[in-house]
Amino acid sequence: MSQNGAGETIFALSTGAGRAALAVIRLSGPEVDGALAQLGIKNLPKPRMAALRKLYHPTNNQLLDEALVLRFVAPRSFTGEDMAELHVHGGLAVTQSILAALASLAMCRPAEAGDFTRRAVLHGKMDLTGAEAIADLIDAEGGAQQAQALRQMNGSLRAVMEGWREALKTTLAHVEADIEFADEDLPGGLGQRALEGVPAMLSAMQAHVEDRRGLALRDGLRVALLGAPNAGKSSILNRLAGKDAAIVSARAGTTRDVIEVAMLLEGVPITLVDTAGLREAGDDIEREGVRRAKLQAEEADIRLLVLSPDTKNPLGEAASMADIDIAICNKADLGAVPEAELANMGAIETVSLSTVQGSTAQSDDETVLLAALQELVRARAGAKETPVLTRERHRQALGEACVALDRALTIADTGLELAAEDLRLAQRALGRITGAVDIEQLLDIVFADFCIGK
Amino acid sequence: MHETTWDVIIIGGGHAGCEAAAAAARFGARTLLVTHKLETIGEMSCNPAIGGVGKGHLVREIDALDGLMGRVADQAGIQFRLLNRRKGPAVHGPRTQADRKLYREAMQAAIQQTENLSLLGQPVDDILVEEGRACGVITEAGETHRAGAVVLTTGTFLDGIIHIGTERVPAGRHGEAPAITLSKRLYGLAEQTGALTMGRMKTGTPARLDGRTIATEKLEAQPADAAPVPFSFLTEKIIVPQTVCYITHTNQATFDIIEENILQSPVYSGQIAGVGPRYCPAIEDKVARFPERKSHQIFLEPEGLDDPTVYPNGISTSLPAALQDRFIRTIVGLEEVKIIRPGYAIEYDYVDPKALLPSLELKALPGLYLAGQINGTTGYEEAAGQGLVAGLNAARAAAGQEAVYFDRAEAYLGVMVDDLVTKGVSEPYRMFTARAEYRLTLRADNADQRLTEKGIAAGLVGPKRAKAFRAKMAALTDARTKAASWTMTPNEAGTKGMHIRADGTRRTMTELLAYPSIDWADLQAVWPEMGTWTRDIRQQIETDALYAGYLDRQQADIDAFRRDEALSLPSDIDYLALEGMATEVRQKLAAARPVTLGQAARMDGMTPAALTLLLHHARKNQRGLAKAASK
C-alpha cells in the first residue's frame, strides 16, 4: 500500500494508446517540477498557464517533442499534489520516448491503475463515491449511464449518505445525553424519544437497498432469448441487432453455444443473448448448449420467450413461465401458436412477429417488440432523477446500516447503551460508502476496481 | 543547606497528588509528597461526591490497580446510589455523596500507612532543572529535595484567582494561597522551548448553606440505595450510615434576579477570560444560555454526617455575595437559609496536554510529569486517574524502566490520557462513557478483569489484592467454563418450561440466559450449582449473556484498533522534511510526535495521504525492530 500511496512522483499516458493528433502525459507528486527540469524545461510555465516548451531526453539531450506544458500547484490540482500535463503529439514514437525518458529518472515512476484518483481521495479532494463516479463516467457507453455518473460525481449520492449520517449523529447525541447525564434534570425518556425518528429513516434506507436500478444501469442489462430449437431466436436477435450476428439456418439446433450482441436501448447498454434451443438434446455438444442456455436464462435481467406455430413451448410449467417478461409469437405469417402452447401465460405480454423479409407487417411488428423491450429497460434500469446506489459495495454497507438500525429499535428497551452501539455501527456503515471512516482498509478494495486515472 | 534525595517527588496533596504518591510508593520508589499544608491532604474542594457515569468507571479502574480513591470513598460514602440502574451494566455509574471530613481523614490515614512514602508540609517555589531534566524541587523555605522524577499536581492553585462579583482574590482555594512562582517557572519554560502552550481555565463552586436553616419538610427527599454498591473490589460491605439528599428547583423569581444582575458576574463583565466547562455551568450561564427555562434542579447535598454544611449542587455562581443571598432565598425550602460561605469562580493556569507523552511526562522537560487540573481536566476522579498514571511512570522512569501505557481498548484511563495528549482540550475535560469506543467492554464491573493482572505485572498491585483477584478469577473462570459447557436442546428446555425455537440446536446455559423469556431461576432449577455462585460472578455471567453478540463484534474492532496501535513510529522521524505532506500537517506531527500510527490517525486534521506515508515509516520501523531483536 505504501508503494501506491502519496509521497512519490508518478506519471502516465492519460489518453488512449495509438496514433492521434494529441496525447496527454500527466505527472503528480512532490518532484514534478524536478522531472520537468530534467526534461530540459529551464523556464517553468506559471501555474495554470499553458506554455509551449521543447522536451529533451535527460541524458543524451535528444529533442523528443515540442509540447504544451501545464502546471498545477498543490493543493489546487486534481490529486491535491503538484501536477503537470504534457500535451504532446500523439505518435507512438513520441509518446513512448517521453515515457521512457521519465521512467529513466530516479525521482519518478510509472503510475499504477487508479493511482491519480487514489491520490485525489487520499488528499481529500473527493470522496469515494466521487472517485467511483469518475470511473463510471469514463466507462459510460450510453447517455443514461453518463447522466447517472455525472450526478454521482456532483455529490448527489454523498449528500444522501451524509444526510443520514448527520441525522443519526443527532439521534445518538440525544441517546448519549440520556446515558451520561442520568442524574440531571433532562426531559424524561430522552433516549427513547430520540429513536422515534429512526423508523422513517430506516424505511427510506431499505427502499434504496431494494432499488437495484442504479446498479442495473451501471452494469447494463442482459436480455436472453429463450425457446425451442428452430423457434427463430437467432433471426430475432439479428433483426433486433440489425446485423447477422448469429448463424441462422432452417435446421433445428444451429446455435449450440451462446451468442451475445451489445446494443444501446434508452441510453442503457444491453447485451442480447441468444441461446441454444431448449429441448432434450441429441449429442454432447448440444447438451452442453442447453446447459449453458439455462444458465444464461438464470443470469439474465430480461427474458424473452420465442414461440412459433411449428415448435413446442419448452417451458410449459407455470413456475418456469413466471420468469418470462415477453412472449414472442414468431412466424405469425405461418399461422398462430396453438392454444395449448400458450398455457400458463398469465399476464405476460405477447407480441406477434412475422417472418416475411422486407414486408411492412414485419417492420411494424419489430417496432412493437422494440417498444415493449424499451419499456422494460426503462423500468429496470432507467435513469432516475434521485440519487441511486450504483455498486454492490453501496448496497452491502447500506444493508448493514439497516440491520443495525433495526436492531437498535428492538434492543432499546433492554439496554439503551446497546441501541447507542447499533446507532454507531449504522453511522459507520454509512461512512464506509463515502469513505468517511475505515478508509485505509477500504482503499485497497475499492481501488482494485479502477483502471483509470492515467 | 538542607538537601535530601528521593526516587520520586510529588508536588500537591489533592486527588491527583495522593494517587500519584501512593502509586509511586507501591511501585517501590522512595517517594516524597510535598504540599503547602499537610492538614488539607485529601480535601474535596468542590462538591462532596465521588463517582458517577464515566467517573465511577475511573474510580473502579484506580481501585483495580490498587489505588486509594475507591477504598477511601467506601469509608466516607454517606449516600451510595448506582446511576443508570435501569440501563445495561456498561453504563451503570457507581456514585456516592461523601462526608468531607471522613474522606479527608481516610485519605490521610491511607497516605500515612503507605510504605516508602514521606510527607513534607511546605509550599514549593521551583522545580530544580539540571542538564535539561527535572531533578527535584526547591521549597519556599529554600530547601532542595532531589529526585529521579517529579510529578506536578497543582489543581486550581497555579496562579489561581478567586472571583466573587468584582472582588478578585489570589487564591488556590477558599482561604489558601496560590502557587505563583511555579506558574512563572512554567511560563518561562514555555517561552524558552516553544514546546508547550499555557492557558487559563475556570471553574466555579456554589455557596455553602447551613442545613439547619433549610425547610426540608417542603422538599422531595432522595434516599440512598437500599443495598449500597461499594467502589472497591476489596470492600465487602459499606458500614458508614447512609443519609438523604433533598431536591429543589430555581424559579421565575430566581431567574429574574440573576438575569437583571448578570453583568455583575465576572464571567459576563469580562473580568474572567478562562474557559469553563459546559456540562458544569454556573447558574448565570444556565440563565443566559437557556432563557426559556425558568426552573433548574438543585440537589442539596450534605457535606457530612456531623457537619450542618450543605452543598447546593446546580447553582454554582460568582455573583456578588449579597446577590447570591437574594437569589438563593427565592428557592423553595431556602427562604430562611443562612449562607455559610458565598460561591465563587476560580481561574487558574493549565498546560495544553498535547505537550505531554502518554506517560504524562512533559516532552519539553524530561523528568517532569503533570497530572490533574493542570492538564486541563475537571473532576476528582479524572485527577486521581492521571495521578496514578503519572506516579507509576515517574517511579518506573526513576528506576530506569519503560513507561506503562493503558490503551483505549482496555481502560478509561487509556481513553482519557490518549484524548488529552492527542487531541488536547478546549474546555475542562470530563470523562463520559461516550468517549470510549469500546464502552461495552470497558465496564465498571469488570475493571479488575481488565486491569489487575496488568497492574501486578507493572509492580503496582500489592499482595493482598493480587491474592483476592486470583481467587475471584479462578471462581469466575470455573463458572464461565461451566456456563459454556452445560447445554440443552429445545426439547429438553421445553420439558423444563422454557420455550425456544425448536431447531434441534443445543444451546449453552449462557445462550439460554440471553433469552428475555428465560431467567436465572429457570436455569438454576436445571443446574443447581448456579445457586452457589456469588452475586458478583452471577452478574458477570448475566452480562456475558446480555452482551454476547455485541461483545464479539466489539472484539473484532478492538483487534483492528490494536493492529494500528502496534505500528510504532520511530521517535527520530524528521517530520518537517517529509515530502508529499502539507506543511500544516508536517508541523502538527512535528509538534505532537505521535507514538503509534493509531495515535497519529486520531490527531485533528490528519489526511489519509499523510497516514499512508506514516504507515510506510511505521512498517520500516517494525522491520528494523524485528531485525534488531533477531541479532
Side-chain angles (χ1 to χ4, degrees):
Chain A
M1 155 116 203
S2 57
Q3 294 85 334
N4 301 331
E8 296 167 86
T9 299
I10 51 170
F11 65 90
L13 180 64
S14 297
T15 44
R19 195 169 160 274
L22 275 181
V24 178
I25 293 168
R26 273 202 299 187
L27 297 90
S28 178
E31 297 286 349
V32 162
D33 287 349
L36 294 182
Q38 289 287 313
L39 290 180
I41 302 176
K42 300 275 173 324
N43 177 15
L44 286 176
K46 280 187 194 149
R48 300 176 167 264
M49 301 281 275
L52 203 59
R53 293 287 185 272
K54 288 197 168 79
L55 305 182
Y56 296 92
H57 193 276
T59 46
N60 62 23
N61 285 329
Q62 187 195 333
L63 180 64
L64 302 173
D65 194 11
E66 205 164 351
L68 199 62
V69 178
L70 198 51
R71 290 171 63 235
F72 300 89
V73 177
R76 295 181 60 210
S77 73
F78 173 74
T79 59
E81 302 176 328
D82 283 350
M83 285 190 78
E85 288 179 14
L86 308 175
H87 296 234
V88 302
H89 293 99
L92 198 62
V94 172
T95 53
Q96 287 310 311
S97 65
I98 296 169
L99 290 173
L102 284 168
S104 74
L105 298 175
M107 64 183 65
C108 53
R109 65 163 175 84
E112 286 168 26
D115 258 1
F116 286 89
T117 315
R118 177 193 196 102
R119 287 182 180 205
V121 173
L122 284 173
H123 284 104
K125 300 295 283 189
M126 64 177 76
D127 76 322
L128 285 178
T129 63
E132 287 168 340
I134 289 181
D136 290 350
L137 190 58
I138 290 172
D139 288 338
E141 291 169 4
Q145 281 187 323
Q146 181 187 4
Q148 173 164 297
L150 279 170
R151 263 199 305 278
Q152 185 171 324
M153 195 172 79
N154 290 329
S156 63
L157 183 58
R158 186 191 63 218
V160 173
M161 297 304 144
E162 293 298 308
W164 282 332
R165 228 154 66 90
E166 278 302 311
L168 286 180
K169 209 191 266 178
T170 311
T171 307
L172 184 58
H174 287 196
V175 170
E176 292 294 0
D178 193 330
I179 291 171
E180 302 291 349
F181 300 104
D183 213 16
E184 305 193 19
D185 59 340
L186 290 170
L190 183 64
Q192 294 288 352
R193 271 195 292 147
L195 289 168
E196 282 169 9
V198 172
M201 210 187 308
L202 178 57
S203 58
M205 287 183 186
Q206 277 162 342
H208 266 78
V209 173
E210 279 151 25
D211 184 352
R212 288 177 159 273
R213 277 181 292 181
L215 275 87
L217 174 53
R218 178 173 171 268
D219 295 342
L221 293 177
R222 292 181 74 80
V223 179
L225 286 157
L226 307 169
N230 211 27
K233 299 180 293 297
S234 300
S235 57
I236 293 173
L237 173 109
N238 292 343
R239 284 159 69 178
L240 286 173
K243 61 182 176 188
D244 280 335
I247 313 148
V248 188
S249 83
R251 195 168 70 87
T254 311
T255 311
R256 293 189 177 181
D257 205 331
V258 173
I259 287 173
E260 299 188 354
V261 174
M263 59 188 283
L264 269 181
L265 262 186
E266 299 289 293
V268 180
I270 301 295
T271 307
L272 271 179
V273 187
D274 189 10
T275 62
L278 298 167
R279 67 164 181 190
E280 290 302 314
D283 55 35
D284 284 352
I285 299 172
E286 213 179 289
R287 215 173 357 255
E288 177 60 15
V290 171
R291 194 188 67 81
R292 290 189 196 179
K294 284 185 173 157
L295 205 64
Q296 284 298 331
E298 276 169 30
E299 286 176 2
D301 301 290
I302 294 174
R303 297 172 192 82
L304 308 182
L305 175 65
V306 183
L307 301 170
S308 72
D310 53 347
T311 59
K312 304 219 23 118
N313 178 356
L315 310 173
E317 289 159 31
S320 4
M321 287 299 285
D323 290 335
I324 299 300
D325 295 293
I326 302 176
I328 303 168
C329 296
N330 198 21
K331 310 183 192 175
D333 46 327
L334 301 184
V337 174
E339 273 302 315
E341 305 300 324
L342 291 172
N344 296 324
M345 285 295 283
I348 298 170
E349 184 169 6
T350 312
V351 179
S352 307
L353 204 59
S354 158
T355 55
V356 183
Q357 297 287 320
S359 74
T360 320
Q362 187 211 18
S363 64
D364 282 351
D365 288 351
E366 269 174 29
T367 311
V368 172
L369 173 59
L370 210 57
L373 197 52
Q374 278 167 333
E375 178 70 35
L376 271 174
V377 168
R378 264 200 303 277
R380 302 281 162 87
K384 277 178 67 184
E385 288 308 312
T386 48
V388 288
L389 306 183
T390 55
R391 298 196 180 223
E392 195 50 41
R393 183 182 83 76
H394 305 160
R395 285 191 74 240
Q396 255 179 21
L398 194 57
E400 272 176 45
C402 290
V403 169
L405 287 184
D406 194 44
R407 211 170 36 214
L409 292 173
T410 53
I411 202 88
D413 286 333
T414 314
L416 200 54
E417 76 282 9
L418 295 176
E421 187 70 14
D422 279 318
L423 289 174
R424 213 168 268 137
L425 286 175
Q427 263 187 331
R428 202 164 69 172
L430 288 172
R432 277 214 311 271
I433 296 176
T434 55
V437 283
D438 282 3
I439 193 156
E440 290 298 311
Q441 295 93 314
L442 249 186
L443 286 177
D444 287 316
I445 304 164
V446 169
F447 282 90
D449 270 9
F450 288 111
C451 279
I452 57 140
K454 290 200 170 184
Chain B
M1 190 169 163
H2 188 83
E3 190 169 313
T4 63
T5 303
W6 306 84
D7 292 329
V8 176
I9 293 177
I10 314 293
I11 306 168
H15 304 281
C18 287
E19 217 59 72
R26 283 202 304 284
F27 177 79
R30 288 181 53 255
T31 307
L32 176 69
L33 188 158
V34 198
T35 185
H36 65 300
K37 225 156 106 186
L38 295 181
E39 310 84 79
T40 54
I41 286 179
E43 182 67 59
M44 304 176 110
S45 307
C46 197
N47 67 323
I50 297 284
V53 182
K55 288 168 176 280
H57 290 72
L58 282 172
V59 180
R60 283 283 175 84
E61 291 183 358
I62 292 166
D63 186 67
L65 294 164
D66 219 4
L68 304 179
M69 184 171 252
R71 282 182 271 175
V72 168
D74 285 346
Q75 294 171 61
I78 53 174
Q79 197 222 19
F80 277 88
R81 282 177 61 232
L82 183 68
L83 304 183
N84 273 338
R85 204 179 266 283
R86 268 180 293 176
K87 299 178 183 110
V91 294
H92 285 178
R95 182 186 194 274
T96 189
Q97 291 303 133
D99 179 309
R100 199 186 288 282
K101 189 177 73 168
L102 287 180
Y103 191 92
R104 192 176 55 229
E105 286 171 357
M107 182 57 86
Q108 290 182 6
I111 288 285
Q112 271 152 13
Q113 284 158 18
T114 303
E115 272 179 56
N116 303 324
L117 178 55
S118 303
L119 306 176
L120 177 66
Q122 281 187 33
V124 170
D125 252 12
D126 203 0
I127 311 276
L128 190 64
V129 178
E130 282 172 11
E131 291 168 9
R133 274 193 72 85
C135 56
V137 302
I138 300 165
T139 66
E140 199 180 69
E143 295 175 9
T144 297
H145 302 279
R146 297 183 161 272
V150 177
V151 182
L152 183 59
T153 69
T154 51
T156 57
F157 279 71
L158 206 55
D159 199 11
I161 296 177
I162 282 180
H163 300 256
I164 306 177
T166 52
E167 214 181 309
R168 293 166 53 110
V169 185
R173 173 163 65 206
H174 171 74
E176 295 183 37
I180 291 173
T181 50
L182 270 178
S183 164
K184 287 191 178 132
R185 172 55 129 177
L186 287 174
Y187 270 100
L189 189 67
E191 206 165 290
Q192 198 186 328
T193 61
L196 75 161
T197 312
M198 307 275 298
R200 297 286 276 173
M201 284 211 177
K202 71 133 199 181
T203 186
T205 197
R208 301 302 197 274
L209 313 178
D210 185 339
R212 292 166 300 197
T213 58
I214 296 174
T216 52
E217 69 280 1
K218 293 187 190 170
L219 304 175
E220 178 194 340
Q222 184 194 47
D225 285 347
V229 178
F231 284 105
S232 176
F233 291 99
L234 295 182
T235 303
E236 279 171 19
K237 200 168 183 322
I238 298 297
I239 49 175
V240 188
Q242 298 294 291
T243 183
V244 292
C245 287
Y246 291 94
I247 298 172
T248 184
H249 296 87
T250 62
N251 52 48
Q252 182 74 50
T254 329
F255 181 94
D256 292 341
I257 294 175
I258 294 166
E259 195 193 33
E260 241 166 69
N261 296 289
I262 202 149
L263 287 177
Q264 297 198 48
S265 166
V267 181
Y268 287 89
S269 66
Q271 187 178 318
I272 294 185
V275 189
R278 274 178 302 174
Y279 29 75
C280 188
I283 187 71
E284 295 97 288
D285 290 323
K286 295 185 191 176
V287 165
R289 286 188 8 219
F290 303 101
E292 70 286 356
R293 275 193 70 179
K294 307 299 179 196
S295 175
H296 296 276
Q297 181 175 266
I298 303 168
F299 284 96
L300 298 174
E301 304 173 346
E303 294 213 343
L305 291 174
D306 56 2
D307 179 349
T309 311
V310 165
Y311 180 98
N313 194 345
I315 49 169
S316 151
T317 181
S318 54
L319 284 167
L323 275 169
Q324 293 190 26
D325 198 82
R326 260 183 71 202
F327 88 70
I328 288 173
R329 284 162 179 273
T330 62
I331 296 165
V332 176
L334 306 182
E335 297 87 348
E336 302 297 328
V337 80
K338 188 172 152 257
I339 292 180
I340 295 175
R341 164 154 69 78
Y344 59 81
I346 182 161
E347 243 192 322
Y348 54 94
D349 288 339
Y350 79 100
V351 173
D352 175 355
K354 284 190 285 190
L356 302 170
L357 290 168
S359 60
L360 298 182
E361 187 177 18
L362 200 55
K363 290 177 223 173
L365 185 58
L368 183 62
Y369 294 73
L370 308 184
Q373 277 171 302
I374 191 171
N375 292 338
T377 62
T378 171
Y380 306 150
E381 304 80 358
E382 288 83 353
Q386 293 168 66
L388 184 142
V389 172
L392 168 66
N393 283 321
R396 290 182 64 93
Q401 296 190 25
E402 280 187 10
V404 168
Y405 303 118
F406 299 96
D407 77 24
R408 301 184 73 90
E410 68 190 344
Y412 277 92
L413 289 173
V415 172
M416 171 172 66
V417 169
D418 184 60
D419 281 348
L420 292 174
V421 306
T422 307
K423 296 191 173 132
V425 292
S426 52
E427 66 182 318
Y429 179 98
R430 168 181 160 180
M431 186 41 76
F432 294 113
T433 64
R435 296 194 193 272
E437 292 85 347
Y438 316 110
R439 176 163 66 190
L440 301 181
T441 309
L442 305 188
R443 304 191 304 273
D445 64 70
N446 69 358
D448 55 342
Q449 295 170 57
R450 292 185 276 119
L451 295 171
T452 301
E453 196 66 59
K454 183 164 181 165
I456 294 171
L460 198 54
V461 173
K464 184 179 163 206
R465 183 179 300 265
K467 190 166 165 242
F469 171 71
R470 298 231 155 100
K472 174 185 164 180
M473 284 312 288
L476 181 56
T477 307
D478 179 59
R480 279 191 169 136
T481 310
K482 284 174 176 152
S485 64
W486 291 336
T487 60
M488 262 196 293
T489 63
N491 268 341
E492 288 164 358
T495 63
K496 310 277 182 189
M498 293 174 267
H499 300 289
I500 52 178
R501 193 155 54 89
D503 56 5
T505 312
R506 295 194 81 84
R507 288 178 176 79
T508 65
M509 185 222 117
T510 319
E511 284 164 351
L512 290 165
L513 188 58
Y515 284 85
S517 61
I518 297 177
D519 64 27
W520 190 270
D522 297 330
L523 295 167
Q524 193 178 314
V526 182
W527 295 294
E529 195 184 329
M530 287 167 63
T532 67
W533 294 346
T534 63
R535 208 181 59 175
D536 192 20
I537 290 195
R538 171 175 168 169
Q539 272 172 0
Q540 291 302 312
I541 301 290
E542 283 174 336
T543 304
D544 289 347
L546 176 66
Y547 282 175
Y550 287 87
L551 286 178
D552 291 344
R553 262 194 302 275
Q554 196 146 85
Q555 192 54 46
D557 288 348
I558 289 175
D559 293 344
F561 160 80
R562 290 246 162 89
R563 277 195 291 278
D564 284 352
E565 289 303 294
L567 289 166
S568 60
L569 293 167
S571 54
D572 58 351
I573 298 183
D574 184 358
Y575 287 106
L576 294 176
L578 280 185
E579 280 186 340
M581 216 184 265
T583 315
E584 190 197 336
V585 176
R586 275 186 274 178
Q587 283 166 348
K588 268 190 184 159
L589 283 166
R593 310 209 66 82
V595 177
T596 65
L597 186 73
Q599 193 194 344
R602 290 189 294 276
M603 287 170 55
D604 287 335
M606 280 313 264
T607 61
L611 286 175
T612 312
L613 261 178
L614 289 182
L615 177 65
H616 182 60
H617 279 280
R619 292 228 171 109
K620 254 194 349 206
N621 189 41
Q622 212 171 31
R623 279 194 295 272
L625 290 176
K627 231 184 252 170
S630 70
K631 265 177 196 165

